[in-house]
Amino acid sequence: MWLLLAVFLIVISSTVFSQVSLSGKVTDYETGESLPGATLFIPDLKTGVSSDINGIYRFTALPRGTLLIQVSYVGYGAQSTLVDLRKISNLDFRLSEKAIEAQEVVITGSGISTDNSRSSITITPIRKAELLTTPSTNIIAAISSVPGLSEITTGGDISKPVIRGLSYNHVVTLNEGVRQEGQQWGDEHGVEIDQFSADRIEVLKGPASLFYGSDAMGGVINILEPIHAPLNTIRGEAASQFATNNMMTNSTVMLEGNQQGFTWRARVSYKNAASYKSPPEYVYNSCFNELNYSAMIGLNRKWGYSHLHFSRYDATIGMIDGTRDSTNGQFVNLNGEIVSTALTKSRVPDLPFQHVMHNKVTSVSNFIIGRSQVRLNLGYQDNDRQEFATDNHEPSLWMNLNTWTYDMKYTHLFTGDVELVTGIGGMTQSNANKGSEYLIPAYQLSNGGAFVYLKKSWNKWTVNAGVRYDVSWLNGKSLYLDSLGNPSIKGDTVFAGFKNSFGAFSGSSGFTFAASKVFNFKLNVGSGFRAPNIAELGSNGVHEGTDRYEIGNPLLKPEHSIQIDGEITGNWSWLRVTFNGYYNYISNYIYQRNINLETVTKDGQNYRVYRFVQGNSVLKGFELEIDIHPIDQLHFENSLDFVVGTNETTGTPLPLIPALHTVHKLRWNFTTGKQSVFSEPYVEIGGQIHLAQDRIDTFETTTPGYFMLDASAGTKLRVAKQYWTLFISGSNLTNTKYFDHLSRLKELGIYNPGWGITVGVVVPFGIYEKDSPGN
């Protein structure tokens, strides 16, 4: 792979690229008035400019190729256009005022950037403003209200994404172009990513194995990095939040620059929280702290871009075991002592706790040659997970995971708007056990795949089809313990060694149809493939974070899925309605169950035994979104999310399926003058209705329904030449006592958080700016 990279870079460096520019004016469609400050963005170059006071924009040092350009302006509908820069050097944009922005440029669904309306796969974009102003303790919690997306939670800082009822290794998280690898199989293992680092997130719903291989059969969370600083500038950003419920402080400082296309960025973030308060009590040991560092250096040139990223995630998180005194029901520590009120509010995790460090280095590049592009993403990750059960200094469970990933895609746009995408991708991975307890064996894994994809576009129609083949090899190593409990060449068997290999085809085909200016249709039929992970095949031990004894099955078969997904969107001047329905059949679906209340005794303590089983299963449901906006200032947004999961082999419901729930938001956007110090002020009141979940697996318990009230307000405040963002947001203002069905603390009788207020500020600042005709 490295030889291929070296040869490719030599070829690229020896190629002569002609430099072109693009300029024009952004105006109001009706009045012709110039729109100063409009944003123009080229996703395939990760570069953007803003229009000046006269609405004039200018890009320089662009490749002689075909690129997609998105134009957006507050209060106007976004517009995207595919531009052949070999023929066009001047292009004006006329934007129409709209209450919503109907067209968002997406990257996930295809090999090159395309309009959301042209993607047959359902993709929901989430902007940075939403991420910053949504009260949350981590990046997954910040997006969990998106229709079709839920979260499995374990206390304060741990959330796992659930897309249409599928979670764990059924969902791939991409960050900086590389799939995040950090023991995703674990219930209480979160996503180790700084939530401040995201500029935009795209949630891809449904099988995405065609582009991302095994594990993407449920969907993809694609976390996108910020646009780099404008040419010849140095700027920064400081942001801080405070939440009253768990007294969480969450702050970040970022500095970035761009000197003649040499770009760089550095960020540090720190988060610290005490135990959260449910309506009845403070939840002992739900506190956590998290420190993140990240840096980027790169080149943006007329041939494309190449960026090198480094990030480090370092978190210490309390593990909640929920043990209580038998007489008064108060929490007790490991010694059986009643925990004091001061300790329940502590910011320092007590035993048991986990310490997780995740280091990542990635190289992300895109080379543009005429109507062709080559994307090359390489990554190395080191995930070090230590779980401390009885001693503050000696971890009982200690796993170290090293992962190398590679992904290369070639795209070409033929005459007649025919798009070809082909590529390869895969990873090598090794895990070592360093602690005194063992849950999964040490192992080595290798997988890889290749695909080809075609898309044809007409004025109103888009059709696409693709096929992929994947192979995977897994070597689980044996482990024996002597009479003293130390690893040995013989003795008591903890793990019997095994070797597995899997291979499978997957594919996708679909179309979009813009029937009119009002209606847009999508239909996609996709197949997914997932090889069993190491925990499902080989686990055998106590999982301290879940209070379970987990047993794998090396004879498990790979999963295969077929999903039919259809979407209808209607967009009128005062109303937007989107309905999306799906049917997902999964053969050999893998999940864990406690069968017949099986238990085992380990070191004098009883644990419920959870075994990995599989059966042919069906997940079906729909999402409905309705946005009513009789005037531009007023929005009444509503969504409904419903999914049903059934094991067809046993006839029982699948576990961890979210209940039917609706989200409602009434928002008023105030109108301010151009001279006002306030920009885009708003107030919002919202509610969530969760129905009872009584379709449960035999080892689960039913969950009552509940209602929560939320409210928020915010504005941009003009300070000198910058706009600060200020917001205040209240969650669960009725202090509802409830269990979320996907909360793992529900089994311990611990309620979700009660009411809380979050306040925040984002302060951008400029350090250096040199006049330039564009980027």
Side-chain angles (χ1 to χ4, degrees):
M1 184 63 203
W2 293 107
L3 179 60
L4 175 64
L5 173 61
V7 172
F8 179 73
L9 291 178
I10 292 172
V11 172
I12 287 294
S13 64
S14 63
T15 305
V16 177
F17 296 90
S18 300
Q19 176 177 325
V20 298
S21 62
L22 180 69
S23 60
K25 189 173 184 179
V26 185
T27 59
D28 184 290
Y29 185 87
E30 297 292 338
T31 66
E33 181 182 359
S34 61
L35 298 179
T39 300
L40 298 95
F41 178 51
I42 304 178
D44 294 325
L45 291 176
K46 292 188 182 291
T47 189
V49 297
S50 296
S51 59
D52 63 19
I53 193 171
N54 298 312
I56 302 297
Y57 75 90
R58 180 175 174 82
F59 287 97
T60 60
L62 296 179
R64 292 178 58 86
T66 302
L67 297 171
L68 190 70
I69 299 177
Q70 177 181 251
V71 187
S72 59
Y73 189 74
V74 176
Y76 287 73
Q79 186 179 124
S80 57
T81 303
L82 199 61
V83 181
D84 188 343
L85 295 171
R86 298 172 302 175
K87 303 176 181 179
I88 298 174
S89 61
N90 186 273
L91 183 62
D92 295 336
F93 293 94
R94 301 165 65 192
L95 304 185
S96 299
E97 290 191 78
K98 288 186 179 180
I100 56 175
E101 295 185 4
Q103 286 188 318
E104 285 280 2
V105 172
V106 297
I107 298 174
T108 309
S110 177
I112 62 175
S113 303
T114 184
D115 286 333
N116 200 344
S117 62
R118 292 282 186 173
S119 170
S120 63
I121 302 175
T122 301
I123 302 174
T124 300
I126 306 164
R127 299 174 185 171
K128 181 179 180 179
E130 298 174 61
L131 297 172
L132 287 174
T133 58
T134 300
S136 62
T137 57
N138 59 75
I139 195 168
I140 300 302
I143 62 176
S144 60
S145 63
V146 170
L149 181 64
S150 304
E151 57 173 333
I152 296 174
T153 59
T154 308
D157 197 33
I158 300 174
S159 295
K160 302 183 73 66
V162 181
I163 298 179
R164 294 176 170 175
L166 293 175
S167 55
Y168 299 94
N169 282 85
H170 294 95
V171 175
V172 165
T173 300
L174 293 176
N175 186 30
E176 296 165 357
V178 173
R179 56 185 291 161
Q180 187 82 4
E181 286 294 322
Q183 314 278 17
Q184 294 97 320
W185 50 265
D187 290 70
E188 84 295 4
H189 303 170
V191 176
E192 296 96 1
I193 295 174
D194 178 10
Q195 67 185 101
F196 280 120
S197 66
D199 184 71
R200 190 167 174 267
I201 296 179
E202 297 164 355
V203 180
L204 189 155
K205 307 170 190 175
S209 297
L210 176 64
F211 289 110
Y212 302 107
S214 178
D215 294 3
M217 64 185 303
V220 173
I221 308 292
N222 189 13
I223 301 171
L224 303 174
E225 65 171 318
I227 305 172
H228 63 71
L231 191 67
N232 299 324
T233 62
I234 299 176
R235 66 182 184 182
E237 175 185 270
S240 187
Q241 299 176 2
F242 175 76
T244 61
N245 182 280
N246 59 356
M247 307 301 287
M248 183 183 73
T249 59
N250 190 9
S251 301
T252 188
V253 177
M254 182 272 292
L255 194 64
E256 63 179 350
N258 180 350
Q259 283 74 46
Q260 300 299 325
F262 173 74
T263 63
W264 55 272
R265 181 186 305 116
R267 180 185 294 274
V268 59
S269 304
Y270 181 69
K271 184 189 305 180
N272 182 269
S275 296
Y276 79 81
K277 189 179 188 305
S278 69
E281 62 192 351
Y282 285 96
V283 178
Y284 166 59
N285 214 31
S286 60
C287 53
F288 60 90
N289 60 75
E290 178 187 314
L291 180 63
N292 292 282
Y293 300 99
S294 62
M296 181 276 293
I297 58 172
L299 286 176
N300 286 67
R301 291 289 189 262
K302 51 183 176 291
W303 44 258
Y305 66 84
S306 183
H307 295 168
L308 181 66
H309 297 263
F310 168 77
S311 64
R312 178 181 177 87
Y313 170 99
D314 189 336
T316 302
I317 306 169
M319 297 163 63
I320 305 163
D321 63 14
T323 306
R324 298 177 184 268
D325 182 79
S326 59
T327 57
N328 57 27
Q330 291 181 279
F331 289 112
V332 298
N333 62 20
L334 289 181
N335 299 321
E337 303 165 339
I338 295 176
V339 178
S340 66
T341 302
L343 191 56
T344 60
K345 300 179 182 180
S346 173
R347 290 179 175 271
V348 180
D350 201 358
L351 290 169
F353 66 89
Q354 56 181 270
H355 181 210
V356 184
M357 290 181 290
H358 190 92
N359 296 308
K360 181 168 59 179
V361 180
T362 62
S363 171
V364 181
S365 303
N366 190 27
F367 303 99
I368 300 174
I369 311 171
R371 297 173 70 87
S372 300
Q373 298 186 28
V374 177
R375 297 175 184 266
L376 182 62
N377 298 339
L378 304 172
Y380 169 74
Q381 300 173 67
D382 175 72
N383 185 274
D384 194 78
R385 171 173 292 277
Q386 303 177 30
E387 298 186 1
F388 298 80
T390 58
D391 188 282
N392 285 309
H393 305 289
E394 293 293 331
S396 53
L397 188 67
W398 186 355
M399 298 177 290
N400 184 253
L401 181 68
N402 288 273
T403 306
W404 294 87
T405 58
Y406 63 92
D407 181 81
M408 186 174 184
K409 292 184 177 72
Y410 169 80
T411 69
H412 183 77
L413 184 63
F414 293 95
T415 303
D417 289 334
V418 176
E419 176 187 327
L420 166 70
V421 187
T422 184
I424 59 173
M427 69 178 180
T428 61
Q429 195 172 73
S430 63
N431 183 77
N433 290 315
K434 300 181 178 182
S436 57
E437 295 183 2
Y438 308 94
L439 176 58
I440 61 171
Y443 71 90
Q444 292 180 330
L445 177 147
S446 296
N447 65 34
F451 73 92
V452 62
Y453 167 90
L454 282 169
K455 184 173 78 171
K456 165 65 177 174
S457 298
W458 293 273
N459 184 34
K460 293 186 176 182
W461 289 84
T462 300
V463 297
N464 64 80
V467 64
R468 180 185 179 106
Y469 184 75
D470 281 279
V471 291
S472 177
W473 300 271
L474 180 62
N475 179 11
K477 299 182 179 180
S478 59
L479 175 64
Y480 306 96
L481 299 181
D482 60 22
S483 58
L484 298 177
N486 297 317
S488 177
I489 58 174
K490 62 180 180 178
D492 294 333
T493 302
V494 180
F495 304 114
F498 64 90
K499 293 183 179 181
N500 283 347
S501 62
F502 307 98
F505 282 97
S506 56
S508 178
S509 179
F511 72 85
T512 68
F513 175 49
S516 66
K517 292 184 178 180
V518 174
F519 291 104
N520 193 78
F521 298 88
K522 296 183 180 184
L523 181 68
N524 194 80
V525 179
S527 64
F529 156 75
R530 189 179 78 86
N533 63 44
I534 186 63
E536 295 163 343
L537 293 169
S539 59
N540 182 32
V542 176
H543 198 173
E544 296 288 354
T546 64
D547 201 35
R548 299 173 176 177
Y549 195 98
E550 299 180 358
I551 299 177
N553 179 3
L555 301 179
L556 291 175
K557 301 176 182 179
E559 298 176 336
H560 297 269
S561 72
I562 294 289
Q563 176 168 305
I564 302 174
D565 188 316
E567 179 179 288
I568 303 174
T569 300
N571 187 13
W572 295 268
S573 60
W574 60 276
L575 175 68
R576 178 179 171 87
V577 179
T578 300
F579 177 84
N580 189 289
Y582 57 91
Y583 181 92
N584 191 5
Y585 178 83
I586 306 176
S587 61
N588 299 316
Y589 177 68
I590 302 170
Y591 62 100
Q592 53 180 322
R593 297 180 65 194
N594 175 259
I595 304 173
N596 298 325
L597 301 179
E598 179 186 7
T599 62
V600 67
T601 301
K602 180 76 171 179
D603 298 329
Q605 184 174 345
N606 284 334
Y607 296 93
R608 297 178 74 178
V609 175
Y610 281 72
R611 295 180 181 269
F612 287 94
V613 298
Q614 59 185 167
N616 297 335
S617 301
V618 170
L619 292 118
K620 54 187 177 182
F622 65 89
E623 294 120 27
L624 175 65
E625 299 177 67
I626 302 175
D627 182 6
I628 305 171
H629 41 272
I631 58 176
D632 288 350
Q633 290 81 10
L634 180 65
H635 282 257
F636 184 36
E637 299 176 358
N638 308 269
S639 67
L640 186 151
D641 190 347
F642 175 65
V643 58
V644 173
T646 304
N647 184 326
E648 298 289 309
T649 303
T650 62
T652 58
L654 293 177
L656 295 175
I657 300 297
L660 186 152
H661 58 277
T662 64
V663 178
H664 311 272
K665 298 178 181 179
L666 184 64
R667 181 184 178 106
W668 182 271
N669 298 309
F670 294 93
T671 302
T672 59
K674 293 183 178 180
Q675 303 303 317
S676 175
V677 297
F678 298 103
S679 176
E680 304 173 42
Y682 69 91
V683 293
E684 180 178 283
I685 185 168
Q688 301 180 40
I689 302 173
H690 293 248
L691 300 189
Q693 178 58 290
D694 52 14
R695 290 195 80 258
I696 56 173
D697 202 345
T698 54
F699 68 90
E700 293 184 294
T701 57
T702 59
T703 304
Y706 58 91
F707 168 80
M708 288 197 303
L709 179 68
D710 305 318
S712 63
T715 186
K716 289 185 178 179
L717 179 67
R718 188 174 63 188
V719 179
K721 294 183 179 181
Q722 304 289 347
Y723 278 95
W724 296 15
T725 298
L726 308 173
F727 76 91
I728 180 169
S729 184
S731 56
N732 193 10
L733 295 177
T734 53
N735 205 34
T736 300
K737 186 169 68 173
Y738 73 98
F739 294 115
D740 186 283
H741 187 67
L742 301 188
S743 170
R744 291 191 50 263
L745 301 182
K746 175 192 165 191
E747 299 177 14
L748 305 176
I750 296 175
Y751 290 96
N752 285 77
W755 77 276
I757 303 293
T758 300
V759 295
V761 58
V762 181
V763 180
F765 54 88
I767 297 177
Y768 172 80
E769 181 175 357
K770 182 180 179 180
D771 292 336
S772 175
N775 198 8

